[in-house]
Amino acid sequence: MTKDSDNDPLKTGGALGVLAGVDSDATDRLLGRTLGDYEILDLIAAGGMGRVYRARRADGSFEREVAVKVSAATGLSSELQSRFAQEQSVLAGLNHPNVCQLYDAHVSDEGWPYIVMELVDGQNIVDYCESNALSTEQRLSLMVNVVDAVAYAHSRLVVHRDIKPANVLVNAGGQVKLLDFGIAKLLESDQALTRVTPLTPKYASPEQLLGQPITVASDIYQLGLLLFEVMTGAAATEQASLTESIQRAASGHAVTLPGEARAKLDRELVLIIEQCLRAKPEERYRGASGLVDDLIALRDGYPVTAAGQSGLYRLRKFLGRNAAAATIAAAATVGAIAGTAWYTYQLDAAREEAERQAEVAQSEAEAAEEVIRFLTDVFE
């Protein structure tokens, strides 16, 4: 975990999202203490909903450091404790190389819910791409990993709901890690319980801002915003207050991508992003797996569904990804045509010469017959 570069309230795990704000004086007292099986070492990040600490196993059973997210809210009802345990057990089952792993979840003696997760040391994905001057193909490959992780979670009926650059880190080895699945909502869970989870207005989908039911389409929308920012280094939407964001969502208009940044992108990539950002959830990609398929197709030179499937378009993509073979085939075709033309020309010339010689021979024969007739007449 790292500090949230967007300066947004820290998003806590699972049912922690419905709790009250943090009592900062209480959470400060955790420094140097043991929380469950973990010794709190130092504070990593803090926000309106909780704090994140660096910690290690107090019993020394392993040396790996972890991140511990704590909410200082107390008085957790039995219903919320049950929901907290249920959601965290599902999230702990998300085992994917590009998902930050959840290790443990408990409620402290003071009544503070906390979760223990993998500690990720890295840059947010946009900063990583810019500082390393990654190519278009490299950026697409990183996004393929991110979207694949989201598709994996969706297949287990879990949505993220807060996908943004600060929640997607890339470590020194170039591996992507998607953080904060802790605020995810199980698709079959009680919407009334999770609807009040804090969100980031700049990256929230229209249905989130309007308090409508949240589905995988909300993650698709946020992936579109992230994709644009990763590919261009610029945000697709301006920073706005919650009220302004709600007004924008209520208008029903799709996001208009900034012209200068949009001009840097390939037409097919723009079409992919725009399909993610449709105002109506049902008009976006039906799932993250469809989006990841289009990104892989774009990266590897194949047709993408967002651009249609016309015969001319598919032919152009085929020629594009087989340029060398197409050039050789074209050269061979031209050579064959030229060879055939030359052979035809030579054949025509030979035929004309044969016809000319035949005419000459016929004329000579006729002349000889005329001489013979003349001599015959003379002798007679």
Side-chain angles (χ1 to χ4, degrees):
M1 298 296 301
T2 62
K3 292 185 178 180
D4 190 336
S5 59
D6 295 328
N7 294 320
D8 292 318
L10 185 69
K11 306 304 183 295
T12 55
L16 297 183
V18 303
L19 301 177
V22 172
D23 177 354
S24 58
D25 292 337
T27 52
D28 283 344
R29 294 200 298 271
L30 283 175
L31 292 176
R33 282 187 46 188
T34 298
L35 189 60
D37 296 328
Y38 300 91
E39 178 186 355
I40 304 300
L41 301 177
D42 55 67
L43 179 67
I44 298 176
M49 292 299 297
R51 293 195 168 199
V52 183
Y53 297 91
R54 186 187 307 270
R56 65 186 173 200
R57 287 280 298 196
D59 59 9
S61 58
F62 58 81
E63 295 299 323
R64 178 180 58 198
E65 292 187 341
V66 297
V68 176
K69 274 192 168 183
V70 182
S71 172
T74 57
L76 201 64
S77 70
S78 59
E79 180 184 3
L80 287 180
Q81 288 190 38
S82 175
R83 177 69 69 189
F84 174 71
Q86 176 191 355
E87 292 194 5
Q88 300 310 325
S89 66
V90 172
L91 296 171
L94 295 180
N95 296 311
H96 188 280
N98 301 117
V99 173
C100 179
Q101 183 65 49
L102 176 68
Y103 298 135
D104 207 350
H106 291 288
V107 178
S108 72
D109 293 339
E110 295 86 350
W112 304 327
Y114 66 91
I115 57 177
V116 182
M117 63 182 62
E118 177 183 0
L119 181 65
V120 181
D121 185 13
Q123 288 180 284
N124 82 57
I125 189 170
V126 175
D127 291 345
Y128 180 86
C129 290
E130 294 299 306
S131 62
N132 291 280
L134 297 192
S135 67
T136 297
E137 290 73 19
Q138 290 172 319
R139 295 177 190 230
L140 279 175
S141 293
L142 287 178
M143 281 303 303
V144 165
N145 291 333
V146 174
V147 181
D148 186 64
V150 175
Y152 167 82
H154 287 177
S155 71
R156 282 149 180 79
L157 304 181
V158 177
V159 292
H160 190 288
R161 299 204 300 167
D162 197 28
I163 300 172
K164 59 184 179 180
N167 280 340
V168 185
L169 300 186
V170 186
N171 63 24
Q175 184 182 25
V176 171
K177 287 288 186 179
L178 183 55
L179 312 182
D180 268 0
F181 261 109
I183 68 160
K185 177 179 81 67
L186 298 181
L187 292 182
E188 72 274 17
S189 66
D190 181 7
Q191 293 178 0
L193 181 65
T194 57
R195 185 172 293 169
V196 295
T197 303
L199 49 79
T200 309
K202 183 178 177 180
Y203 296 101
S205 67
E207 56 270 25
Q208 284 178 292
L209 292 165
L210 298 176
Q212 297 170 351
I214 306 302
T215 67
V216 296
S218 294
D219 281 356
I220 298 297
Y221 185 91
Q222 293 179 335
L223 285 170
L225 295 177
L226 180 66
L227 177 59
F228 182 85
E229 195 161 348
V230 166
M231 301 307 298
T232 66
T237 57
E238 297 180 356
Q239 185 68 46
S241 67
L242 179 58
T243 300
E244 292 170 336
S245 298
I246 292 174
Q247 290 173 345
R248 182 197 70 207
S251 70
H253 297 302
V255 171
T256 301
L257 300 176
E260 185 176 348
R262 172 180 172 154
K264 302 177 183 178
L265 300 178
D266 179 86
R267 172 182 170 274
E268 293 163 298
L269 183 54
V270 171
L271 292 174
I272 290 173
I273 295 171
E274 288 180 340
Q275 183 163 338
C276 293
L277 299 180
R278 300 279 172 81
K280 296 181 179 179
E282 63 272 16
E283 295 180 356
R284 302 170 200 157
Y285 283 94
R286 296 186 65 180
S289 57
L291 174 56
V292 77
D293 287 345
D294 259 6
L295 292 179
I296 292 173
L298 177 64
R299 183 192 63 188
D300 297 344
Y302 288 87
V304 301
T305 60
Q309 296 294 313
S310 70
L312 183 60
Y313 168 65
R314 296 178 69 86
L315 175 61
R316 180 172 64 83
K317 296 299 290 185
F318 174 81
L319 294 177
R321 67 178 181 271
N322 296 282
T327 300
I328 294 173
T333 301
V334 170
I337 293 173
T340 301
W342 175 250
Y343 174 76
T344 302
Y345 170 78
Q346 291 290 88
L347 188 61
D348 290 343
R351 185 173 60 252
E352 290 176 359
E353 178 63 19
E355 290 174 351
R356 187 186 65 78
Q357 290 180 0
E359 290 175 356
V360 170
Q362 184 177 358
S363 297
E364 291 176 347
E366 291 175 352
E369 290 179 359
E370 186 65 28
V371 169
I372 291 173
R373 283 195 298 270
F374 172 76
L375 292 176
T376 301
D377 291 343
V378 170
F379 283 115
E380 287 178 353

